[in-house]
Amino acid sequence: MTAVDDQGLSFAGVARLAQLVRDREVSPRELVEFHLERIAQLDPILNAFRVVLAEQALAEAAQVERRLAAGEVLPLAGVPIAVKDDTDVAGVSSMCGTAIDTGPVSRDSAAVRRLREAGAVIIGKTNLPEFGAVPMCESPTWGVTRNPWHLERTTGGSSGGSAAAVAAGMVPGALGTDGGGSVRIPAACCGVVGLKGQRGWISTKQSPERAYRFHGLHHIGALARSVADAALLHDAMAGLEPNDEIVSATPPPTLIEAVSREPRRLRIAMSFKPVIPVPVSDEVRRPVLETAELLRSLGHEVVERDPVYPPAAVLSVFALMMHGLADEIERLPTPELLERRIQAEGRTARLIPDWLAHRALAARDRMSERGLRPVADFDVLLTPVLGKPPVPVGHLEGLGPTRAMARILGFMPFTPTQNYTGQPAMSVPVGISPHGLPEAVHLVGRPNDGLTLISLAAQLESERPWAQHRPPAARYRTPA
């Protein structure tokens, strides 16, 4: 196929693979066949994919080859990309982690269409918990998605299938969605970069049959093995659509340009204050403190400073999430097929009146400004991603909605705020714990300032290279 060995292809990354295709060192078909074989080897163990689109992907690879021959410039030429199964891919059902199949959708979502336009090949759809309602990738219908670093630990969620697929080298990059941390949490658990851009930079428009109804909390994001690859994917997906419900105040910048740009001396606020008062373990504090020291050594100013989380803002986030979940469930033809805990959450969600959700939306800008005011003179906020390291599989098993919610909030107390404020944020790997699990930090940019965020993340990555690390599952093979 090529002089590049198997492991080189598995972990070469989005930009490098696209370059290999453009340089004709590997063909789009060969690249897709290689990744299909790797999925066949690893997915029976990891369960990252809900469906693999082998025939469709090979046909798309042939089309990319024709486009290249015709002289098209394709930034993602022939690169296999996975798509989370709550985002529409034409001709495929969007199951959203449930047992409810409403049939194949007629059209790609806007983000998927833009990936194809950039030359990407959609190779499959990845698993998530039902409606992404919990930050662990487990469902009664599609089973448990395993963490490539430790099979008995969670991948995080809800984009757990996408994160596991990237971490194990089954794909170089993936689309995830983030309504309260669902790109950043699994990125931290699986040791990949997870980027959620500014609200409105990537359209959330779906096929005509479906629509996101989570009141602007929902963002589409990128999961990849490097900051540059995440930026490249984000840029490929970015852009507005006619009649978009959510429109950014600024057009999306070209984030890839910031990767090679040395950041100026930045003022960075470091905080361990969660959105709600829950314990934050020393195991997630330590990587943040070590990163702060590294940033100081690079010339940045790092000061401990906490945002303010007004109780009304916290309640607003909760109200919008629950109201959106109720909307989703009410549209289902057979909601009785949902798992019992989600049915119970749906009953609770229906108690959120429309007027309360509308009030939360109306107050969003004011609440966001109040919360950001204490860190307004800083360029970046640095926090943990998680409240504790990746929890064991089955962390919510047998629990009712109230006890499950308490555990969920204890695991993900830092990420929901940015879905309310809409500002860019990302999870960046920074090391491996003594238990062999990835460690990460959470970087939050000023509203509309993704360029500073990317340049800082790229600087961190250059000081602590991560992409060469391979999880144990990258070496697994299914029994003969």
Side-chain angles (χ1 to χ4, degrees), residues 99-114:
I100 303 167
D101 188 349
T102 56
V105 300
S106 62
R107 195 180 304 170
D108 286 337
S109 65
V112 169
R113 190 195 76 239
R114 290 174 184 270

Side-chain angles (χ1 to χ4, degrees), residues 90-179:
V92 186
S93 300
S94 291
M95 301 287 285
C96 299
T98 75
I100 303 167
D101 188 349
T102 56
V105 300
S106 62
R107 195 180 304 170
D108 286 337
S109 65
V112 169
R113 190 195 76 239
R114 290 174 184 270
L115 286 172
R116 292 196 208 268
E117 289 171 352
V121 174
I122 306 304
I123 204 167
K125 301 197 74 181
T126 55
N127 280 323
L128 67 152
E130 289 194 347
F131 287 120
V134 297
M136 296 90 187
C137 196
E138 306 171 29
S139 82
T141 304
W142 305 107
V144 174
T145 299
R146 303 283 174 176
N147 191 321
W149 291 90
H150 192 309
L151 296 182
E152 297 308 316
R153 295 281 176 165
T154 185
T155 59
S158 59
S159 305
S162 288
V166 173
M170 289 191 278
V171 288
L175 178 154
T177 58
D178 191 312

Side-chain angles (χ1 to χ4, degrees), residues 402-415:
T402 302
R403 291 177 61 201
M405 184 57 69
R407 287 196 177 182
I408 288 168
L409 294 175
F411 184 56
M412 51 167 287
F414 291 99
T415 55

Side-chain angles (χ1 to χ4, degrees), residues 15 193 195 226-235 254-263 426 450-462:
V193 176
L195 171 61
S226 71
V227 174
D229 285 349
L232 190 61
L233 288 175
H234 182 281
D235 289 347
T254 305
L255 296 182
I256 192 65
E257 294 177 355
V259 171
S260 57
R261 185 186 306 165
E262 190 79 9
M426 62 192 302
L451 294 174
T452 298
L453 193 68
I454 291 294
S455 65
L456 179 63
Q459 184 183 45
L460 269 180
E461 186 177 67
S462 68

Side-chain angles (χ1 to χ4, degrees), residues 334-357:
T334 51
E336 67 275 8
L337 296 181
L338 295 173
E339 65 174 296
R340 291 174 60 188
R341 184 172 60 242
I342 298 299
Q343 290 187 48
E345 285 187 13
R347 289 191 291 271
T348 301
R350 283 192 290 273
L351 299 177
I352 306 294
D354 291 346
W355 65 262
L356 183 57

Side-chain angles (χ1 to χ4, degrees), residues 36-70:
L36 286 173
E37 180 181 348
R38 189 156 178 87
I39 292 168
Q41 291 171 339
L42 295 178
D43 202 52
I45 297 167
L46 298 177
N47 189 35
F49 283 87
R50 201 272 293 175
V51 60
V52 178
L53 305 172
E55 291 185 12
Q56 180 176 316
L58 290 169
E60 286 181 34
Q63 185 179 24
V64 169
E65 202 150 356
R66 290 191 293 271
R67 292 171 66 189
L68 289 169

